[in-house]
Amino acid sequence: MANAFWCVVEDDRKGYPKKVTAEVLAEARRLSGGTAEAVWLTDSAQPEGLMRLAEWGATKIWLVEHAGLAPYRGEVWAPVLATLVAAQAPKAILGAVTSRQRELLARLAARLGVGFAADTVALAMDGDTLVATRPVYAGKLLSKVTWAKPPWVATLRPNVFKPAEPVAGREPVVERPAVTVPDAMLKLVERREEVSTGLPELSEAELVVSGGRGMKGPEHFVILEHLASVIGAAVGASRAAVDAGWRPHRFQIGQTGRTISPKLYLGFGISGAIQHLAGMRTSKIIVAVNKDPEAPIFKVADYGIVGDLFEVVPALTEEFKKLLAK
Ligand SMILES: Cc1cc2nc3c(=O)[nH]c(=O)nc-3n(C[C@H](O)[C@H](O)[C@H](O)COP(=O)(O)OP(=O)(O)OC[C@H]3O[C@@H](n4cnc5c(N)ncnc54)[C@H](O)[C@@H]3O)c2cc1C
């Protein structure tokens, strides 16, 4: 359908769409005036996953289910998606700022020879044209961009857009288009292991606790993990902590790490370098704890505590425990 807005499904690799897909679908529905279609590339989709997409408002689901799509490889997925786009001519293709989709949609736009608005934080129709707002210069400015020609390709920052409210009873309308899945040129992944921290996933978490060089060593992150487990937060880190080998790279927040927009960000022993701010300054409430009153992070913080994190973290944890026990 030529006027459709497509939402590229981000799944949990177990056959279920993730919450961020509800955010993208809601936006696609709002902008298109109701014609929001999901496009799902996967090796295995669960029937409940399809149901979830319908309940979130997908009027149609383009399902490409093929063993050759796992694990994700951009050079395999992008031509499949481009073939579908060429056949169906949607007006917009929207995805999420996740490690897979930020690559996939950039590749797609390049193949189609159209513009790509990465990391958008707002979308609006101006007459017949889509206008995207996206941070530039590490979040110092917001720029508005539009496209010279359709389809409009964009990724949306997680936790910024309101997710779709599920409406029970909507039945999924599934199309299984015949597409050729190319062979992978490279075998990049030998095996995949799920490492569960028991805490929420960083880019989707509503609460994030983050530690920097001020943590002084990997062994001290346990106090942040304890605080995080009390309030149900994810644990992130600055690049200094990651470069020191204290945390794996997937927990890095910032320009060369994850971009997050939680409801609450708590930063401990993080100075607030511009590259770090680029990944978290759109958090709704920022709390900074630093022993240096001149630390730049206080300029963006809604609340600040000048103090030693090794005293503040345990004290905060105890206070949260008391509050949550009520
Ligand atoms: C191209 C490029 C890309 C980059 N990408 C990223 C990125 O994605 N993410 C990122 O984070 N950085 C990134 N950086 C690095 C960035 O410039 C900073 O070096 C880094 O963010 C600093 O990390 P930090 O705040 O943990 O450490 P520091 O700047 O060393 O700050 C440590 C802070 O801890 C405080 N402190 C120390 N002890 C305590 C204590 N006991 N209690 C309370 N406070 C204490 C200190 O006062 C200080 O403010 C990038 C840099 C470049 C050049």
Side-chain angles (χ1 to χ4, degrees):
M1 140 88 76
N3 278 330
F5 274 55
W6 277 11
C7 159
V8 181
V9 175
E10 179 70 23
D11 65 30
D12 62 358
R13 296 173 171 89
K14 294 178 191 130
Y16 297 93
K18 291 175 106 176
K19 177 190 144 234
V20 72
T21 297
E23 297 168 11
V24 180
L25 258 177
E27 215 34 31
R29 222 177 138 81
R30 185 182 70 79
L31 294 162
S32 67
T35 323
E37 300 180 354
V39 53
W40 193 359
L41 274 57
T42 174
D43 62 325
S44 149
Q46 295 293 337
E48 297 88 351
L50 293 164
M51 188 66 81
R52 199 180 285 177
L53 291 174
E55 290 180 352
W56 285 340
T59 49
K60 186 182 280 184
I61 302 162
W62 299 94
L63 179 63
V64 185
E65 203 175 11
H66 191 286
L69 291 169
Y72 165 81
R73 278 146 307 189
E75 92 266 13
V76 176
W77 282 40
V80 172
L81 191 51
T83 309
L84 268 184
V85 170
Q88 304 302 330
K91 206 166 191 178
I93 302 124
L94 308 179
V97 183
T98 60
S99 40
R100 290 195 291 191
Q101 293 200 15
R102 68 206 303 183
E103 186 208 10
L104 174 65
L105 293 195
R107 279 178 179 262
L108 176 73
R111 279 183 166 264
L112 300 174
V114 297
F116 173 48
D119 197 18
T120 59
V121 293
L123 289 165
M125 292 302 296
D126 181 7
D128 282 343
T129 315
L130 183 64
V131 179
T133 305
R134 51 185 302 271
V136 289
Y137 299 115
K140 287 235 156 195
L141 291 176
L142 290 174
S143 74
K144 287 192 179 212
V145 296
T146 188
W147 286 257
K149 57 175 181 173
W152 307 319
V153 183
T155 50
L156 283 62
R157 190 179 281 201
N159 279 330
V160 170
F161 297 87
K162 200 166 174 286
E165 291 288 341
V167 176
R170 283 185 184 145
E171 284 297 319
V173 178
V174 182
E175 292 267 353
R176 294 176 181 264
V179 283
T180 310
V181 175
D183 288 335
M185 286 179 280
L186 295 171
K187 191 177 177 193
L188 295 174
V189 180
E190 270 298 328
R191 81 196 152 96
R192 207 185 135 74
E193 278 179 26
E194 291 290 331
V195 186
S196 173
T197 58
L199 297 172
E201 214 267 313
L202 184 57
S203 44
E204 291 199 347
E206 295 197 334
L207 310 177
V208 171
V209 168
S210 180
R213 206 195 311 264
M215 295 302 298
K216 302 212 169 23
E219 66 280 14
H220 300 306
F221 269 84
V222 70
I223 61 171
L224 292 192
E225 279 162 6
H226 184 42
L227 168 59
S229 68
V230 168
I231 60 172
V235 177
S238 72
R239 179 159 161 180
V242 169
D243 283 353
W246 302 348
R247 304 298 283 174
H249 179 259
R250 68 178 187 282
F251 297 123
Q252 182 180 316
I253 296 165
Q255 190 179 317
T256 43
R258 299 291 186 104
T259 306
I260 58 166
S261 274
K263 284 187 181 153
L264 175 66
Y265 166 96
L266 295 145
F268 297 94
I270 292 180
S271 60
I274 188 166
Q275 297 90 353
H276 188 79
L277 301 184
M280 46 59 73
R281 72 186 310 155
T282 50
S283 305
K284 313 289 176 301
I285 296 177
I286 298 173
V287 179
V289 178
N290 197 302
K291 64 181 185 185
D292 174 8
E294 303 298 323
I297 195 152
F298 287 129
K299 293 206 176 82
V300 298
D302 299 284
Y303 301 94
I305 301 175
V306 178
D308 185 339
L309 71 90
F310 294 101
E311 291 168 14
V312 176
V313 175
L316 269 181
T317 308
E318 285 314 306
E319 286 306 314
F320 278 129
K321 270 190 197 162
K322 279 188 221 156
L323 269 175
L324 292 168
K326 278 183 189 160

